[in-house]
Amino acid sequence: MGEQQAVLGEQQAVLDVQNLRVGFRSGRETTTVVDGVGFTLEPGRCLALVGESGSGKSVTARSILGLAGQNATVTADRLVVGTKNVLTLSVRQLRGLRGADVGLVLQDALVSLDPLRTVGREIADALRLHTRLSPGERSARVQQLLVDVGVPQPEFRARQRSGELSGGLRQRALIASAIALDPPLLIADEPTTALDTTVQEQILLLLERLKREGTAVLLISHDLAVVGRIADRIAVMTDGRIVEQGPADRVLGDPQHEYTKRLIRAVPAGRPRGTPLAPAAAPEVEPEVAPATAADAHAVRREGGAERGARLAGKDGGGGRTAGAPALEAHGLVKSYRNPDGSRRVVVDDVSLSLARGQTLGLVGESGSGKTTTARLVLGLTAPDAGTVALGGAPWSILSERERRPERRRIGAIYQDPLGSFDPRWTVREILTDALTDGRSTRDRGQLPALTELLDSVGLAGSLADRRPLHLSGGQRQRVAIARALAPQPDILVCDEPVSALDVSVQAQVLDLLDELQRERGLSYLFISHDLGVVQHMSDTVAVMLDGRIVESGPSATLFANPADPYTRRLLAASPRLA
Amino acid sequence: MSGSAGAPLLPLAASTAHQPSGARRALAHLHVAEVIAGLILLFLLVAALAPQLLTATDPLAIAPASAFTPPSPGHPFGTDESGRDIFTRVVYGARSSLLIGVAATGIGLVLALVLGSLAGLGPRAVDFGVNRLLEVLFAFPGLLLALLFITIFGVGVTTSTIAVGLATAPGYARIIRSQIRSIRGSGFIEAAVVLGRSPGQIFRRSILPNVAAGLFALATLGVGQAIVWASALSFLGLGAVPPAAEWGAMLSAGRTYISVAWWLTFFPGLFVVLAAASATVLGRGLQRRNRER
């Protein structure tokens, strides 16, 4: 293996980029998006460009294909694919480059494939445009390609349209069309970002196989853990520059640049509960603590939180709430919906949950597993077909909406898409004033002191109060959503994929904030996510959902150390983590 | 957290430095057509509220000696068969035209809001019922519906205003219904439910204002249309009755003399067109701005 790599290493590079600069003109101003980027890529190797949104990684990839855009200025000392200088190619020659010399796989296969044409025709397109194969030969090649990328029943699948395929199959079909002409270079731009963990695993294995077979892969991703699986070299990008580049093991194991260190530190997978992920909230010097010690320290803190939670509950413990009861208890929840053909589809099937006061219950599962429906049942937004939900020992799901309404302040929610959860007409001040005044007013007469306090507690500057959420960053929006949920002083927060749409370092800050708020206020979280790493980092107990059922649940530490259910094991094995 | 803890709460100064103020941005995006339309509507508004400012003459004062004077410095729009100054009559006519346009649109909107909200928020059966009713109303041309109403309740400015309002309501109702439907399913309504807001509060504070934002532009368009319809009804002798200074009625009266005195019909007609066109231009501008936001 080592010998083979050495031989490969001497081969001529498939891709040679030196001092690439890309600027975008708007009006008279030019914004530099890529600023002096350089790397080379040999056959059978994988280079990963890692960075957060706006770092310039996608623009870099597009420039290689001559797709940077109309108003872009691309300059470089070298920008060579194989033997072709991309900078001097005509529009026509660039078209020849795409597909034949470079295959491109994009993140969103649903929009990258034409919904009105069959998958087989989409894949055959490249063959039709670039080769002289007969229709018979083309269809045989399409079948072979689908087999190659691991699509079962290729003849049947080739006749389907992209909307009829699952996310994983769609992404495979897209890869098949990208490799149809055996391009020596494959550019994959966030190829697994929208996919479930187990599907992501399959796609990564496929990319790895293509790499072994000699294709050079330029992998673009925001996810260090994903990249660590298949990349030989990693280049870390921020603000249009590569700040660190080197062999994958070295970059991940012994990062040199401050930004790389921060990125790696922000990955929640495998980091003990309660450890801060972002530097701002962390103490200046924090020695790497052994997991056992961290767990102990955390347990102590947790106890403190639980005590406080119990005390808070005791203080206003009227309304039939029992002091010792868990913050939230769901028993035997069932929910089904009617299909268009009249049959019933069971979405949540006999789900029981118990969330202790001041603790976090992680609910993990892939898309369609019934996580969000469970959240809606817990929040009292839909009525269960069977089963009950109790809050602090008092009935909740069996109440009528009129009876439940005054009690709603006890349970809040934050969502994956905070922007959609805000009235588009309202400023941050109006959103929070509304929440603080129980919906009586959005007019903040004479600056509510509670508003300043609230903004402060979620780490937002007061100067943002008069902005609309549309003009805030993703992390700021989620902070506003958290502030709004906190305004009525709830005991429980239901967090439905709260960090899935955020960059790693922003995700780290939001997770740290949630942790800190839990400690300070004794909050109980029902934390829903598809991301095992995030759930592991955040939860005291974890429940794993599959097809509407909870297949396994238990204390976080035990469950992740000794998963009992085969599905949990599969999920854990598929979940990429840093070595 | 640590950095912002002591930050003073003086947000305005900081944020305005980066973003131009609303008014300045609005001015920068104004089109020439919109400025002209705005000036015309401003003129009509002054005419409607204080016609004495624009003309010293009485719109009903007759002067048989100077009948059929063509446009001249003394009578810029000429005079009619009884020697009444047409400019004065057009100016005074703005009041009833604008009033009918605004009132009819208002009536149509209120009716549409009731129907649209019922359909958009009510149970499926109500939605079904309202939709069928709207379809029946849609099947008749609006003017026919207005004629039917006038036939039943008699001729006059009030009845014709209500009639025009009724005729425009189904169109608005449909739009309101579909807007409410889409807002009802959005995340911020769910967030309001989770915060414990009652259906009444949600309707008043979250649904209605978001519907209204789009409706304002639509209503501006509607005023122009209503002015045309009201003039049409007066022209047919079903609205304002001569000798009242009303554009439709003036058109109708002037029609007899169209071969000898074109100005009798030209100027009232011109103002119907100007009013309707200005309202349309402004309405479209508002719609565009809503979309951009």
Side-chain angles (χ1 to χ4, degrees):
Chain A
M1 186 71 187
E3 199 179 288
Q4 192 195 351
Q5 276 194 351
V7 174
L8 285 173
E10 283 161 25
Q11 275 181 303
Q12 210 205 341
V14 188
L15 176 63
D16 188 357
V17 180
Q18 299 304 331
N19 196 22
L20 173 70
R21 290 167 177 281
V22 184
F24 285 100
R25 283 184 311 272
S26 74
R28 252 168 290 159
E29 286 168 54
T30 303
T31 325
T32 306
V33 179
V34 177
D35 191 4
V37 160
F39 50 79
T40 58
L41 181 56
E42 292 83 29
R45 311 303 298 269
C46 173
L47 169 72
L49 276 184
V50 181
E52 301 190 278
S53 43
S55 61
K57 54 191 196 303
S58 287
V59 176
T60 303
R62 289 172 170 277
S63 306
I64 296 168
L65 290 160
L67 287 173
Q70 290 256 305
N71 52 349
T73 343
V74 181
T75 61
D77 294 348
R78 267 177 87 76
L79 184 55
V80 179
V81 175
T83 52
K84 297 176 183 167
N85 183 354
V86 176
L87 293 172
T88 59
L89 292 183
S90 67
V91 176
R92 200 189 160 83
Q93 287 167 319
L94 274 174
R95 271 205 296 273
L97 181 84
R98 297 170 204 146
D101 297 290
V102 190
L104 177 65
V105 181
L106 290 168
Q107 174 183 344
D108 199 342
L110 187 59
V111 297
S112 302
L113 291 169
D114 188 331
L116 295 178
R117 306 175 67 207
T118 63
V119 169
R121 283 192 60 190
E122 283 284 301
I123 300 171
D125 257 0
L127 299 169
R128 203 165 41 78
L129 292 169
H130 292 273
T131 68
R132 293 175 180 281
L133 293 180
S134 69
E137 289 168 321
R138 276 209 301 265
S139 102
R141 177 88 177 107
V142 167
Q143 309 273 321
Q144 185 54 46
L145 280 165
L146 285 172
V147 172
D148 286 350
V149 296
V151 173
Q153 302 169 277
E155 275 175 59
F156 168 62
R157 296 298 181 188
R159 286 197 302 272
Q160 286 189 307
R161 288 167 228 284
S162 66
E164 300 169 84
L165 299 180
S166 68
L169 285 180
R170 225 182 276 143
Q171 197 67 1
R172 280 161 197 265
L174 197 63
I175 294 177
S177 75
I179 63 169
L181 297 166
D182 273 329
L185 172 61
L186 187 66
I187 298 180
D189 192 350
E190 302 272 9
T192 63
T193 301
L195 302 177
D196 276 328
T197 318
T198 51
V199 184
Q200 162 170 293
E201 168 73 2
Q202 294 159 6
I203 298 296
L204 290 178
L205 285 173
L206 171 61
L207 288 177
E208 199 167 21
R209 209 192 71 216
L210 291 171
K211 186 184 90 168
R212 264 204 317 276
E213 289 165 5
T215 310
V217 179
L218 179 62
L219 177 66
I220 289 149
S221 178
H222 70 285
D223 192 331
L224 275 171
V226 162
V227 155
R229 289 291 288 264
I230 58 169
D232 303 296
R233 289 176 68 79
I234 294 179
V236 180
M237 276 190 84
T238 181
D239 290 333
R241 295 168 190 273
I242 291 180
V243 293
E244 180 161 5
Q245 183 169 189
D249 298 347
R250 212 273 296 139
V251 173
L252 294 178
D254 181 24
Q256 300 300 309
H257 194 272
E258 207 40 55
Y259 181 74
T260 318
K261 286 183 193 165
R262 216 167 56 190
L263 270 189
I264 290 176
R265 193 197 172 89
V267 175
R271 305 203 39 109
R273 177 106 169 75
T275 333
L277 301 170
E284 280 306 314
V285 193
E286 198 191 43
E288 203 63 54
V289 258
T293 337
D296 287 349
H298 169 244
V300 173
R301 257 197 316 235
R302 217 86 325 261
E303 247 165 55
E307 247 168 51
R308 175 139 189 260
R311 206 182 61 235
L312 287 176
K315 201 167 58 186
D316 54 355
R321 277 190 274 164
T322 330
L328 167 79
E329 197 157 32
H331 192 74
L333 289 178
V334 178
K335 182 73 189 176
S336 63
Y337 290 104
R338 197 186 299 278
N339 284 330
D341 61 11
S343 61
R344 295 197 80 85
R345 187 166 39 97
V346 179
V347 182
V348 171
D349 191 2
D350 194 20
V351 164
S352 299
L353 299 167
S354 176
L355 168 58
R357 280 169 209 261
Q359 297 226 334
T360 299
L361 169 61
L363 190 59
V364 71
E366 301 188 292
S367 51
S369 61
K371 304 185 300 276
T372 294
T373 307
T374 306
R376 291 179 56 84
L377 290 170
V378 164
L379 284 166
L381 290 170
T382 31
D385 299 342
T388 53
V389 179
L391 291 194
W396 174 253
S397 62
I398 55 164
L399 298 178
S400 71
E401 182 57 31
R402 192 180 290 272
E403 292 167 321
R404 187 159 42 220
R405 205 167 291 133
E407 300 290 313
R408 280 209 176 269
R409 48 154 289 273
R410 288 161 50 194
I411 182 164
I414 54 178
Y415 311 89
Q416 177 173 4
D417 168 27
L419 187 59
S421 77
F422 302 130
D423 191 321
R425 296 170 308 119
W426 285 357
T427 61
V428 171
R429 183 187 303 282
E430 286 167 326
I431 291 165
L432 297 183
T433 312
D434 169 77
L436 282 167
T437 57
D438 243 351
R440 275 189 293 277
S441 163
T442 52
R443 200 78 50 79
D444 174 14
R445 292 189 195 82
Q447 308 276 7
L448 284 175
L451 183 90
T452 322
E453 216 174 282
L454 202 54
L455 282 172
D456 202 45
S457 68
V458 295
L460 282 177
S463 58
L464 296 177
D466 291 295
R467 299 253 187 104
R468 273 174 230 286
L470 189 63
H471 303 298
L472 298 179
S473 72
Q476 288 170 332
R477 287 173 191 166
Q478 199 56 282
R479 283 171 195 267
V480 175
I482 294 172
R484 174 179 62 182
L486 290 178
Q489 309 214 310
D491 308 325
I492 307 165
L493 277 192
V494 175
C495 314
D496 190 357
E497 299 274 9
V499 293
S500 307
L502 302 177
D503 271 329
V504 208
S505 62
V506 181
Q507 163 178 304
Q509 291 165 11
V510 170
L511 291 179
D512 283 352
L513 171 66
L514 285 172
D515 243 353
E516 188 187 308
L517 290 168
Q518 182 170 50
R519 274 201 303 279
E520 284 170 3
R521 301 175 179 230
L523 290 166
S524 317
Y525 292 152
L526 175 60
F527 193 96
I528 296 171
S529 178
H530 71 285
D531 188 327
L532 277 169
V534 171
V535 166
Q536 182 179 14
H537 174 75
M538 292 300 287
S539 310
D540 299 290
T541 40
V542 175
V544 183
M545 268 190 104
L546 172 68
D547 295 335
R549 293 172 169 276
I550 290 184
V551 294
E552 184 171 5
S553 66
S556 178
T558 331
L559 190 137
F560 279 98
N562 297 304
D565 188 85
Y567 176 70
T568 315
R569 261 181 256 148
R570 202 145 49 89
L571 209 55
L572 263 178
S575 166
R577 52 191 55 232
L578 295 175
Chain B
M1 271 139 268
S2 45
S4 62
L9 247 154
L10 280 174
L12 279 169
S15 62
T16 43
H18 294 290
Q19 298 173 311
S21 70
R24 246 189 20 234
R25 212 171 354 167
L27 275 180
H29 287 255
L30 267 185
H31 289 199
V32 183
E34 284 165 13
V35 175
I36 295 173
L39 288 176
I40 292 174
L41 281 187
L42 191 70
F43 174 82
L44 292 178
L45 208 65
V46 172
L49 295 175
Q52 311 85 329
L53 292 180
L54 299 172
T55 170
T57 337
D58 181 345
L60 297 177
I62 49 173
S66 55
F68 294 121
T69 314
S72 60
H75 301 284
F77 290 1
T79 62
D80 66 4
E81 74 277 13
S82 311
R84 290 175 294 208
D85 181 45
I86 291 186
F87 176 73
T88 308
R89 286 175 63 76
V90 165
V91 165
Y92 275 82
R95 177 180 291 177
S96 59
S97 284
L98 280 193
L99 199 66
I100 292 171
V102 171
T105 308
I107 291 169
L109 279 178
V110 169
L111 201 66
L113 206 58
V114 174
L115 287 174
S117 306
L118 275 177
L121 296 170
R124 201 173 292 192
V126 175
D127 185 28
F128 182 85
V130 172
N131 270 323
R132 295 301 84 78
L133 175 71
L134 291 181
E135 271 159 24
V136 170
L137 291 178
F138 261 120
F140 293 99
L143 207 57
L144 208 64
L145 220 60
L147 283 177
L148 187 73
F149 184 82
I150 291 170
T151 318
I152 299 170
F153 294 98
V155 173
V157 176
T158 319
T159 27
S160 76
T161 307
I162 298 174
V164 171
L166 278 182
T168 51
Y172 295 134
R174 276 240 168 137
I175 293 165
I176 291 172
R177 173 189 171 271
S178 70
Q179 280 206 332
I180 288 182
R181 288 252 141 185
S182 80
I183 291 173
R184 201 172 78 155
S186 59
F188 64 94
I189 300 299
E190 184 175 311
V193 173
V194 170
L195 280 172
R197 304 286 176 265
S198 68
Q201 274 178 316
I202 291 175
F203 181 69
R204 267 200 322 279
R205 314 207 24 240
S206 302
I207 295 181
L208 209 52
N210 276 296
V211 171
L215 225 49
F216 185 64
L218 208 65
T220 313
L221 281 172
V223 169
Q225 192 198 16
I227 289 176
V228 174
W229 282 22
S231 298
L233 287 176
S234 300
F235 181 80
L236 295 173
L238 302 171
V241 197
E246 202 274 346
W247 298 339
M250 287 167 70
L251 269 172
S252 174
R255 190 175 41 151
T256 328
Y257 313 102
I258 199 159
S259 53
V260 288
W262 55 270
W263 54 92
L264 261 62
T265 45
F266 175 79
F267 289 106
L270 177 72
F271 272 77
V272 171
V273 172
L274 280 181
S278 305
T280 307
V281 167
L282 277 192
R284 292 257 179 247
L286 286 170
Q287 274 184 331
R288 182 169 51 81
R289 222 147 278 161
N290 270 341
R291 262 200 306 278
E292 279 166 11
R293 238 190 292 147

